């Protein structure tokens, strides 16, 4: 029972992972031995950037817009977390093309990917909104340390002392591959602004062209409201030992800019200063900067 144990994160290659479902053995296997198939589609994110949203979108695209799979099978079985034992077993049962999910930074990603034709969809989000979402999530997700205060969490986030490591390292690491034909970068902000257009872009990237009615179905079934109603993706089916639904809602607000209701002016200035330093060389290309 994770409730009664002091938290002891799993450490692997400079990154800490939440206990209970990650192990050094599984992470090492994912990096070095996981067999990548050429038609695998990896859904990669830093936590709280739209991981579960992208699972819904990709699952629907693979099914030509038909929502029956999304409505009858848990997201963790449709796009397994292959870095965990259960996820690995689920991944082995999936027929191709497989959807696979992880929060791995690039230096721990399956080595076999780099000599394969498999594809990665990397979703990223305004780090200030990631931070706010992560703060609330950490309070309800049992394997994560309960934040002492918002300010304390902000300090941990900026120094990279949070599960899955530094947002800055994660994003800059993956962005080094930008331009490769088997990687697509999508932002949460673009999803919010033009879901139809992004679904079209994803279809093209995956070589799965859908007609307008099918794309409309993808858009309708992946709205925040539709996902909140769908128990196969809204996290309400997760056991209480993992997610304490009394402490919050996984599909919390689903908006851009919620950081403005959380950051003080001083916190915002401090964040900007760190952002400017860490994102040197990558500035001006992200939607939240405009
Ligand atoms: P908030 O906490 O800001 O609401 P992840 O899946 O990577 O853990 O990210 C979770 C965040 O994505 C949550 O953000 C959640 O509400 C948001 N999200 C999930 N599905 C969404 C959707 N269909 N539309 C908008 N936001 C969505």
């Amino acid at each position: 029972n994770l409730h009664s144990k002091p938290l002891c994160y799993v450490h692997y290659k400079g990154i800490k992972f939440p206990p209970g479902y990650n192990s050094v053995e599984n992470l090492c296997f994912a990096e070095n031995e996981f067999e990548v198939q050429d038609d695998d589609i990896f859904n990669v994110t830093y936590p709280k950037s739209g991981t579960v949203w992208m699972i819904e979108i990709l699952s629907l695209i693979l099914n030509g817009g038909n929502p029956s799979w999304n409505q009858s099978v848990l997201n963790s079985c449709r796009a397994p977390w292959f870095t965990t034992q259960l996820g690995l077993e689920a991944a082995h049962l999936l027929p191709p093309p497989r959807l696979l999910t992880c929060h791995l930074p690039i230096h721990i990603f399956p080595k076999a990917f780099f000599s394969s034709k498999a594809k990665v969809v990397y979703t990223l989000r305004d780090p200030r909104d990631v931070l706010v979402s992560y703060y609330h999530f950490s309070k309800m997700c049992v394997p994560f340390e309960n934040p002492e205060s918002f300010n304390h969490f902000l300090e941990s986030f900026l120094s990279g002392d949070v599960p899955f490591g530094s947002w800055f390292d994660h994003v800059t690491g993956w962005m080094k591959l930008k331009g490769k034909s088997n990687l697509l970068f999508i932002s949460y902000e673009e999803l919010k602004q033009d879901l139809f257009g992004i679904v079209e872009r994803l279809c093209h990237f995956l070589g799965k062209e859908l007609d307008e009615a099918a794309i409309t179905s993808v858009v309708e079934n992946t709205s925040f409201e539709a996902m909140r109603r769908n128990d196969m993706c809204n996290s309400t089916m997760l056991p209480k030992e993992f997610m304490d639904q009394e402490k919050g809602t996984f599909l919390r607000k689903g908006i851009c800019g919620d950081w403005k209701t959380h950051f003080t002016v001083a916190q915002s200035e401090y964040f900007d200063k760190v952002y400017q330093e860490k994102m040197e060389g990558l500035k001006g290309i992200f939607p939240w900067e405009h």
Side-chain angles (χ1 to χ4, degrees):
N1 181 350
L2 288 162
H3 275 291
S4 55
K5 283 188 193 158
L7 275 177
C8 186
Y9 284 115
V10 172
H11 290 266
Y12 185 70
K13 295 214 164 172
I15 305 289
K16 66 180 187 184
F17 294 86
Y21 56 103
N22 287 291
S23 69
V24 168
E25 292 71 30
N26 285 127
L27 290 161
C28 185
F29 183 89
E31 183 195 357
N32 297 299
E33 288 171 68
F34 185 71
E35 284 181 27
V36 175
Q37 299 172 5
D38 278 338
D39 42 19
D40 282 342
I41 302 158
F42 289 91
N43 171 32
V44 186
T45 55
Y46 185 82
K48 313 321 293 172
S49 304
T51 326
V52 163
W53 194 2
M54 191 51 79
I55 292 178
E56 293 312 291
I57 296 169
L58 295 172
S59 303
L60 269 145
I61 291 176
L62 289 189
N63 277 281
N66 181 341
S68 58
W69 196 38
N70 290 47
Q71 288 169 357
S72 58
V73 178
L74 275 175
N75 54 4
S76 55
C77 296
R78 286 182 270 119
W81 296 81
F82 65 96
T83 54
T84 68
Q85 187 58 36
L86 278 177
L88 189 61
E89 286 162 20
H92 285 144
L93 293 175
L94 277 182
R98 302 186 296 183
L99 283 178
L100 301 160
T101 304
C102 73
H103 291 317
L104 290 177
I106 194 145
H107 71 286
I108 308 179
F109 200 66
K111 287 200 167 72
F113 167 76
F114 299 96
S115 55
S116 77
K117 295 196 179 84
K119 293 178 177 167
V120 165
V121 177
Y122 186 92
T123 309
L124 67 174
R125 183 182 189 186
D126 184 332
R128 295 163 296 187
D129 285 337
V130 169
L131 190 160
V132 167
S133 182
Y134 213 171
Y135 167 71
H136 290 287
F137 176 78
S138 302
K139 292 199 237 177
M140 68 181 300
C141 192
V142 181
F144 288 69
E145 203 175 321
N146 198 14
E148 268 173 44
S149 65
F150 183 73
N151 201 53
H152 188 267
F153 190 79
L154 184 130
E155 290 284 354
S156 306
F157 185 91
L158 289 179
S159 65
D161 187 22
V162 282
F164 302 100
S166 155
W167 179 89
F168 301 97
D169 292 349
H170 208 283
V171 168
T172 54
W174 277 100
M175 287 294 286
K176 290 202 179 99
L177 296 189
K178 197 165 168 41
K180 289 193 103 198
S181 60
N182 60 341
L183 256 103
L184 185 65
F185 289 84
I186 299 283
S187 70
Y188 181 97
E189 290 71 24
E190 291 171 297
L191 290 169
K192 286 291 293 184
Q193 205 192 344
D194 179 18
L195 188 50
F196 193 98
I198 300 298
V199 172
E200 277 183 317
R201 199 190 301 173
L202 281 162
C203 289
H204 187 67
F205 175 68
L206 299 175
K208 177 106 186 145
E209 300 301 340
L210 302 188
D211 63 22
E212 201 178 321
I215 297 181
T216 302
S217 168
V218 177
V219 169
E220 284 173 3
N221 285 289
T222 57
S223 73
F224 188 66
E225 294 71 28
M227 282 181 55
R228 270 194 150 186
R229 283 193 301 269
N230 182 2
D231 289 343
M232 297 297 119
C233 70
N234 63 15
S235 294
T236 53
M237 305 288 273
L238 291 171
K240 197 169 168 26
E241 290 74 40
F242 181 75
M243 190 93 74
D244 189 344
Q245 314 278 345
E246 281 165 22
K247 295 202 176 131
T249 311
F250 177 80
L251 292 170
R252 192 182 59 91
K253 279 197 183 168
I255 57 169
C256 298
D258 195 31
W259 66 270
K260 292 176 193 154
T261 65
H262 286 71
F263 283 47
T264 63
V265 173
Q267 285 168 339
S268 171
E269 285 171 1
Y270 176 43
F271 189 99
D272 286 350
K273 188 168 160 289
V274 176
Y275 185 91
Q276 299 300 329
E277 282 164 19
K278 304 237 187 203
M279 298 304 276
E280 187 83 88
L282 271 181
K283 272 180 280 176
I285 61 169
F286 299 110
W288 56 84
E289 295 173 334
H290 306 296

